[in-house]
Amino acid sequence: MSGANFILLINLSVAGLLAASFMAVAFHDVGRAPARWLAFGYVLGMAYSAIEFSIPAFADARLPVVAAFAVFLAATIAFNGGLARKYGVAPPWKPMLLFLVATTIAVYFVQDLPRQSLVRMMAYQLPYAVMQFIGLAIVWSSRQKLARLDRILMAVLAASGLQFASKPFIAHGLGGWGANPQAYLQSNYALVSQSLGTVFALALALLMLAILVRDVLAEVTSKSETDTLSRLLNRGGFTRHAELAVLSAMRQGVPVALVIADLDHFKSVNDSFGHASGDRVIETFAGFLREAAAAHHVAGRIGGEEFAIILRGTNLAAARLFAEGTRSAFGALPIDGLPADNRCTASFGVAELHPSEDFADLMRRADQALYQAKNAGRDCVRVSAGPAGNWSSAGMEASGRG
């Protein structure tokens, strides 16, 4: 068995393992559509390897050669379909399929050219390069935020496209790709070509697996950190993200403030109007926080009726205005399920991080400020002026407080 035959068998086995791996990822919602297309692509890769391996058995190899070309090009199209699903881009199915048909017809007719003709070799390899560059364009055009792995994927797609484009010249430098299709697997070029194909197919597959698994883990983490009622972070998720935001603000030397809010007399809402009405109060207040929060802010429901938001890049005065605006707007809003004249209110504690503090210190001072607001009669804002424990007040007192 030649070296190229051996590598071809390895490719067949590896393609099967990768197809199975992508199907395993497809069981998770976040990776379902992309992983299915990628799995299909590697199933086609198995079919390509099997056809290549069988070519020496044919007296006239024109049809199996054309079939191998079409199947492998279809595998790259399926791969691009998976990329498009992953990166939220409309798959260019029509142009890719038309390209598949046109190039397959071209490869059929160039079989009449001399075996070592550069045109013949380019007709076979350049379509693969085009598909790799289409994959690169799909990732590039994504509106999703691209992380390091995504950029590495783009680089490997570009390198893979270049290696396909260079193969006709590699074949020429190594003395051609066999006197006939049956002799291809015995040529030095076949060994180099199959080896390059294995390296890039593995690199692309492993990168896509890593990216899909990354997304699955991110989804699982997000679900574990999200409060289902408010759709804000739960206490554990808020603490983790808030600590990261505080550390980032400290490194960059920007201010960061914490606002803690507690819904006033929330138990009486549940007791008087039912838990469904209480849930709507929580949903309404959480909606306020989601709408008011910027992308770099961190908001969470940290208790039954207690909420918190980290305002990165915000000083104490601006955080106090944020709390006062939220208090006023929420207090004037009617809540579905409650009488028209019934208004819900909230109390707020505000603190700004000082250089000598960490997140736990900031949380403690904001919580103490909230305690002061509740002791002052609720429906008001209290501000911690600093680690020394000074307090200032803000907000109009509401009627009917207790």
Side-chain angles (χ1 to χ4, degrees):
M1 178 183 291
S2 69
N5 272 305
F6 182 70
I7 293 174
L8 203 56
L9 286 175
I10 292 175
N11 288 347
L12 180 64
S13 303
V14 169
L17 290 172
L18 292 172
S21 299
F22 282 117
M23 284 307 298
V25 175
F27 284 106
H28 296 272
D29 287 342
V30 72
R32 181 165 293 172
R36 283 179 176 174
W37 278 109
L38 293 168
F40 179 56
Y42 281 93
V43 168
L44 290 175
M46 293 174 64
Y48 161 77
S49 297
I51 295 171
E52 283 276 5
F53 198 74
S54 69
I55 285 176
F58 289 86
D60 181 1
R62 178 188 290 255
L63 288 180
V65 165
V66 174
F69 167 83
V71 168
F72 191 79
L73 192 62
T76 63
I77 291 174
F79 187 89
N80 286 347
L83 286 178
R85 296 298 186 190
K86 160 65 188 79
Y87 289 99
V89 177
W93 293 123
K94 187 174 181 179
M96 288 195 298
L97 292 174
L98 288 174
F99 186 75
L100 170 64
V101 173
T103 53
T104 300
I105 293 172
V107 165
Y108 179 85
F109 284 106
V110 298
Q111 302 298 305
D112 295 325
L113 295 176
R115 173 72 176 167
Q116 307 306 329
S117 165
L118 186 62
V119 172
R120 177 172 174 168
M121 287 187 278
M122 291 182 72
Y124 198 88
Q125 296 294 340
L126 288 184
Y128 302 147
V130 169
M131 282 302 157
Q132 298 291 267
F133 287 118
I134 289 176
L136 172 62
I138 286 171
V139 181
W140 178 272
S141 62
S142 173
R143 294 184 179 180
Q144 299 175 10
K145 183 178 179 180
L146 300 180
R148 181 177 299 176
L149 277 178
D150 306 300
R151 297 190 191 97
I152 293 173
L153 174 65
M154 291 170 63
V156 174
L157 282 167
S160 181
L162 291 174
Q163 65 95 17
F164 279 122
S166 68
K167 279 186 175 183
F169 305 100
I170 295 173
H172 181 73
L174 293 175
W177 53 342
N180 52 52
Q182 293 85 348
Y184 162 72
L185 290 177
Q186 308 304 317
S187 67
N188 290 329
Y189 167 71
L191 179 60
V192 172
S193 178
Q194 293 298 325
S195 298
L196 283 174
T198 300
V199 169
F200 281 101
L202 270 176
L204 290 171
L206 292 176
L207 277 169
M208 283 308 301
L209 275 174
I211 289 168
L212 291 177
V213 170
R214 176 199 67 187
D215 292 350
V216 168
L217 291 176
E219 183 192 43
V220 170
T221 301
S222 176
K223 286 182 177 179
S224 70
E225 292 182 342
T226 302
D227 173 65
T228 55
L229 178 60
S230 66
R231 290 183 289 145
L232 300 175
L233 293 169
N234 58 28
R235 188 176 187 91
F238 174 78
T239 300
R240 188 176 77 84
H241 288 275
E243 287 176 341
L244 292 174
V246 167
L247 288 173
S248 175
M250 292 173 67
R251 282 195 301 268
Q252 298 180 21
V254 298
V256 59
L258 172 63
V259 176
I260 299 181
D262 188 87
L263 301 179
D264 298 329
H265 308 295
F266 182 74
K267 185 177 183 300
S268 66
V269 173
N270 282 333
D271 292 343
S272 301
F273 305 107
H275 288 280
S277 295
D279 287 349
R280 282 191 286 273
V281 173
I282 288 174
E283 290 171 340
T284 302
F285 189 81
F288 264 99
L289 291 187
R290 280 196 306 275
E291 292 175 6
H296 58 282
H297 294 159
V298 179
R301 181 187 178 197
I302 60 174
E305 62 269 20
E306 192 170 0
F307 300 80
I309 182 167
I310 283 282
L311 303 172
R312 187 176 174 276
T314 304
N315 60 22
L316 188 64
R320 175 175 174 169
L321 289 174
F322 174 90
E324 183 57 41
T326 304
R327 183 196 69 82
S328 299
F330 180 67
L333 187 73
I335 307 293
D336 289 343
L338 299 184
D341 59 347
N342 189 285
R343 293 292 184 268
C344 295
T345 62
S347 304
F348 295 80
V350 183
E352 180 183 353
L353 184 73
H354 283 248
S356 61
E357 293 183 310
D358 58 16
F359 172 71
D361 298 322
L362 180 65
M363 190 82 174
R364 175 183 52 79
R365 286 199 297 111
D367 199 53
Q368 289 174 348
L370 173 63
Y371 183 75
Q372 293 288 330
K374 293 167 73 173
N375 280 347
R378 299 182 174 88
D379 190 21
C380 61
V381 177
R382 289 292 183 267
V383 175
S384 173
N390 299 317
W391 313 97
S392 61
S393 61
M396 298 292 293
E397 293 190 355
S399 62
R401 293 182 314 189

